[in-house]
Amino acid sequence: MIASSIRERILIVDDEANVRSILHAHLENGGTECVSSPNAFDALNKIEEQHFSLIISDVMMPGMSGMELLRLVKKQEPETAFIMITGLMDINTAIDSLRTGAFDFITKPFELPAIQRSVDRALERRRLLIENRYYQEELERKVRERTFELNEALHDVEESYKITLEALVAALDAREHETQAHSQRVREYTLALAEALNLNPDMLVHVGRGALLHDVGKIGVRDSILLKPGRLSQSEWVEMRRHPQIGYEILKSIDFLASAAEIVLCHQERWDGKGYPNALSGSEIPLGARIFAVVDTLDAMTSNRPYRRALSFEAAREEIRVCAGTQFDPRVADAFLNMPPESWMAIHDSVNRLHQEQGCLDVLCLNSNTCQ
Ligand SMILES: [Fe+2]
């Protein structure tokens, strides 16, 4: 309902009967419904019973003053307009009443046209206040509605991201079994180490995706090489070492995976420049890839291989310590070594447990903050 459609009603409060009747008659002649009260208590009872757009009140009345009435009205119905009239021109009361929310302060004897002008302006101001409030409320309602729709849309996008990631991991696992658990472990290790290095939440999402998909390029490596039980020949290694570039090509044009693609491309680079495919060194290698390199070694050493059983977490820590500054970024290796072996073992065990229990893909959500 908009303000202009509200029927205006005025309450006149004055202990002088002749003032009440003059105002009442004049304002009703102007077409506004009026109600009169001889004192503030009676006025409060009437305010309880019906709604008033405007109250015109005397200041000096027996029992309760017009100022007290004004305070009570403004507390209960702040949008009700209020005009003060008084027989005494007291500047302090005038200032007080205006500060408390009265629209106008008129002294007796008053002229009826002056009262009418004040009433018209007070009612107009009240209408504007109410219209502004409606507008504000409507705006807030629309913002809430749009926020809800946006959240729904974001949720759909996140779902499709998750499905895309699951599909990519599953595609690789279909070629090289057992890679899912490895991908998920290194993802969780990478996130833990990235958090220890204070990477911001956006970066965490990208490095998590990069770690999860690091070997996706192996989809493009022939089975005879990818699944070969024995040692690879020199030429076979050349093909195998194309997998970071192939992974990068697969992911780079997928918008939400573009940053992860950089980590995939660089995940076999080494701090000392002896890695592949581009022999990058030091900080030329994206930080996410430098973090991944450390935890990939951890996972490789602590996993069973056809030619050896898994080594201990202590042994992996020692290897990472020894290779800090050559294979690994020393700052990243330090952050890794500062974390107790138990924390890595706990991640290892929880990923493996979930992998066995749920058959894998839900493990993408092990860390809900950096899911996708
Ligand atoms: Fe790899």
Side-chain angles (χ1 to χ4, degrees), residues 10-21 23-24 34-50 52 54-58 60-62 64 69 85 108:
I10 300 176
L11 177 62
I12 300 158
V13 193
D14 202 307
D15 54 332
E16 291 180 61
N18 62 330
V19 174
R20 290 201 302 275
S21 60
L23 284 175
H24 196 124
C34 290
V35 174
S36 293
S37 277
N39 57 59
F41 296 110
D42 182 70
L44 287 171
N45 286 337
K46 290 195 161 76
I47 291 166
E48 288 262 304
E49 289 161 11
Q50 51 192 325
F52 294 98
L54 168 66
I55 296 168
I56 303 173
S57 174
D58 190 17
M60 303 284 282
M61 292 182 290
M64 184 190 290
L69 177 63
I85 48 174
K108 296 176 190 173

Side-chain angles (χ1 to χ4, degrees), residues 256-294:
F256 84 99
L257 294 176
S259 297
E262 299 290 335
I263 296 167
V264 170
L265 177 64
C266 300
H267 79 273
Q268 296 286 1
E269 300 287 0
R270 290 171 49 114
W271 181 252
D272 58 11
K274 292 181 179 167
Y276 63 90
N278 295 311
L280 301 180
S281 64
S283 58
E284 290 175 331
I285 307 165
L287 178 56
R290 282 179 265 149
I291 294 170
F292 169 82
V294 169

